[in-house]
């Protein structure tokens, strides 16, 4: 079992645990990876009281790897960049917490071979996704598609991480 990017989220406040050393009353969301021969990816949810649940992502077969997980408001968003599977999947946090397998795939706005690899969440309506080929997408609602804000004109390199401060973003890659 291999874990991909892990996201910490504070229950009592709407900021991430990485901003505080107080791990009491917090949640951890992680996503496992999969390959063409393994079961679908899963979202693992940990509550500081010791509760661990796992939600298999049944919207996936074994044909696509989940790159990372983002918490966007009341949604868990999974990113996929595998060729012919460029998309994100979403589910409510309530479903993830209760291990209900209800992820919905969204492909609208993604360009072929330019799948998202990472994300920066400013707020629910302002989520930027870095992608292959130097692409950057903006998501305004996890339940709908994305729009291209940078079509690889600055760099054609695959971007692997994105972060920001307010509306200023920085993306890096290989």
């Amino acid at each position: 079992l291999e874990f991909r990017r892990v996201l910490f989220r504070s229950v009592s406040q709407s900021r991430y645990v990485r901003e505080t050393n107080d791990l009491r009353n917090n949640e951890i969301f992680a996503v496992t990876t999969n390959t063409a021969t393994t079961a679908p990816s899963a979202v693992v949810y940990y509550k500081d009281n010791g509760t661990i649940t796992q939600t298999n992502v049944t919207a996936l077969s074994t044909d696509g790897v989940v790159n990372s997980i983002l918490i966007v408001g009341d949604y868990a968003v999974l990113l996929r960049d595998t060729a012919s599977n460029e998309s994100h999947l979403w589910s409510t946090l309530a479903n993830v917490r209760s291990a209900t397998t209800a992820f919905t795939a969204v492909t609208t706005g993604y360009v072929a071979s330019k799948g998202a690899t990472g994300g920066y969440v400013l707020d629910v309506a302002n989520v930027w996704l870095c992608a292959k080929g130097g692409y950057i997408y903006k998501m305004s609602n996890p339940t709908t598609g994305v729009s291209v804000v940078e079509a690889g004109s600055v760099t054609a390199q695959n971007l692997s991480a994105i972060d920001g401060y307010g509306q200023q973003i920085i993306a890096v890659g290989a």
Side-chain angles (χ1 to χ4, degrees):
L1 183 65
E2 177 185 342
F3 284 99
R4 292 298 212 144
R5 298 182 181 149
V6 176
L7 181 66
F8 298 92
R9 181 169 188 255
S10 174
V11 174
S12 58
Q13 302 168 357
S14 60
R15 60 182 181 189
Y16 298 115
V17 173
R18 66 181 174 171
E19 297 175 3
T20 177
N21 290 327
D22 182 8
L23 293 177
R24 292 171 290 149
N25 202 28
N26 290 292
E27 303 171 302
I28 299 173
F29 297 88
V31 64
T32 63
T33 189
N34 67 338
T35 66
T37 59
T38 62
S41 293
V43 174
V44 178
Y45 164 68
Y46 171 81
K47 178 84 172 106
D48 69 340
N49 65 3
T51 303
I52 298 175
T53 59
Q54 177 175 312
T55 304
N56 289 330
V57 185
T58 56
L60 294 174
S61 60
T62 57
D63 63 355
V65 174
V66 173
N67 293 26
S68 60
I69 183 171
L70 304 172
I71 302 302
V72 181
D74 291 326
Y75 298 98
V77 176
L78 309 178
L79 303 179
R80 296 176 64 188
D81 72 344
T82 307
S84 77
N85 290 309
E86 296 84 0
S87 62
H88 71 266
L89 298 101
W90 66 269
S91 182
T92 65
L93 290 180
N95 283 343
V96 173
R97 289 181 183 113
S98 66
T100 303
T101 55
F103 281 87
T104 302
V106 177
T107 59
T108 305
Y110 288 97
V111 175
S113 301
K114 310 297 183 208
T117 56
Y120 161 60
V121 180
L122 175 62
D123 56 45
V124 175
N126 293 287
V127 179
W128 285 270
L129 307 175
C130 63
K132 291 182 173 179
Y135 271 62
I136 297 177
Y137 299 103
K138 184 174 183 195
M139 178 190 304
S140 298
N141 180 339
T143 66
T144 61
V146 297
S147 57
V148 175
V149 294
E150 171 54 46
S153 63
V154 175
T155 181
Q157 297 296 315
N158 293 337
L159 300 175
S160 57
I162 189 168
D163 205 349
Y165 181 75
Q167 298 268 344
Q168 298 175 14
I169 59 171
I170 184 168
V172 295

